[in-house]
Amino acid sequence: MRLAAVAGVGLLLSACSMGGMFGGGAPAADTQALQNATASPAEMAAASPALPAIATECPPIKVRPGAEALYFYGKGQVGNPHDLQYQAVIDKQSRNCVVSNGLITVKMGVVGRLMLGPSGNQQSVDLPLRFAVTRGDNSPLYSELYQIPVAVTPPAQAGDFVKVVEGVQIPYVQGDEITIWVGFDSGSKKS
């Protein structure tokens, strides 16, 4: 019965909105009341328990300290700017979540850039990028290393990369402090 009521209100709201879009004039007083009606979270959950709800608190995504950039010197002297072949940086990170049946399903991603250094002439580089999810006490819930191919087409001296990981499911207990981490895994670097 509640499902029918919520579905009816949704249908009325969509019809009212479409009417205004097609020049229906000013809404009647009872139509205005329906346009401003809202269902409580409990009513929404009861009406559609099988439908996922957007997580109210999606875990934050952070770049692991010290893993925001990767420098490759090849056989040159590490730290000498003249021997730098390339460096890569993470520019932005983002995530979104859906909660359903006690799981948070996360979609996470990063955008970054690879830049050739004074000794660099690579046209293709595989960057080691790790996504991890931890619980408050740093208990690992997920960890995966990805090799991200980045092309540098001459005469360009840089190339952008994007990596999106979807469908990562994390058991959710309300009150958990969960953090999503991303960063370069320099111990696994491939040139």
Side-chain angles (χ1 to χ4, degrees), residues 3 11 24 28-29 35 47 52 63 72 78 80-81 85 99 114 127 136 139-140 146 157 163 165 173 176 178 184-185:
L3 180 59
L11 186 59
Q35 286 177 335
V63 177
F72 181 68
V78 174
N80 181 349
Q85 291 194 11
V99 176
L114 175 124
L127 297 175
S139 300
Y146 297 90
Q157 294 291 304
K163 178 60 180 173
V165 177
V173 177
D176 273 356
I178 296 172
F184 292 110
D185 192 329

Side-chain angles (χ1 to χ4, degrees), residues 12-42:
L12 285 173
L13 288 174
S14 67
C16 292
S17 296
M18 289 187 338
M21 185 167 65
F22 294 110
D30 57 341
T31 304
Q32 184 68 37
L34 279 175
Q35 286 177 335
N36 295 327
T38 58
S40 72

Side-chain angles (χ1 to χ4, degrees), residues 3-91:
L3 180 59
V6 171
V9 170
L11 186 59
L12 285 173
L13 288 174
S14 67
C16 292
S17 296
M18 289 187 338
M21 185 167 65
F22 294 110
D30 57 341
T31 304
Q32 184 68 37
L34 279 175
Q35 286 177 335
N36 295 327
T38 58
S40 72
E43 290 172 325
M44 294 295 281
S48 57
L51 295 176
I54 300 283
T56 55
E57 291 187 26
C58 194
I61 184 169
K62 300 178 181 181
V63 177
R64 193 164 296 279
E68 60 278 339
L70 179 70
Y71 302 93
F72 181 68
Y73 293 90
K75 295 181 182 177
Q77 184 177 349
V78 174
N80 181 349
H82 298 292
D83 289 333
L84 179 67
Q85 291 194 11
Y86 63 80
Q87 68 183 22
V89 295
I90 295 172
D91 289 329

Side-chain angles (χ1 to χ4, degrees), residues 21-165:
M21 185 167 65
F22 294 110
D30 57 341
T31 304
Q32 184 68 37
L34 279 175
Q35 286 177 335
N36 295 327
T38 58
S40 72
E43 290 172 325
M44 294 295 281
S48 57
L51 295 176
I54 300 283
T56 55
E57 291 187 26
C58 194
I61 184 169
K62 300 178 181 181
V63 177
R64 193 164 296 279
E68 60 278 339
L70 179 70
Y71 302 93
F72 181 68
Y73 293 90
K75 295 181 182 177
Q77 184 177 349
V78 174
N80 181 349
H82 298 292
D83 289 333
L84 179 67
Q85 291 194 11
Y86 63 80
Q87 68 183 22
V89 295
I90 295 172
D91 289 329
K92 295 180 184 176
Q93 64 277 356
S94 183
R95 86 286 185 251
N96 64 32
C97 307
V98 173
V99 176
S100 179
N101 299 326
L103 293 174
I104 300 175
T105 302
V106 181
K107 179 179 181 180
M108 50 196 162
V110 297
V111 174
R113 188 163 182 79
L114 175 124
M115 296 153 284
L116 295 180
S119 294
N121 60 4
Q122 289 84 351
Q123 292 184 17
S124 177
V125 175
D126 287 339
L127 297 175
L129 189 68
R130 183 173 297 277
F131 285 89
V133 180
T134 59
R135 203 172 297 284
D137 59 356
N138 264 348
S139 300
L141 301 172
Y142 171 86
S143 180
E144 191 71 36
L145 177 67
Y146 297 90
Q147 296 295 333
I148 313 303
V150 182
V152 179
T153 307
Q157 294 291 304
D160 296 325
F161 65 90
V162 175
K163 178 60 180 173
V164 176
V165 177

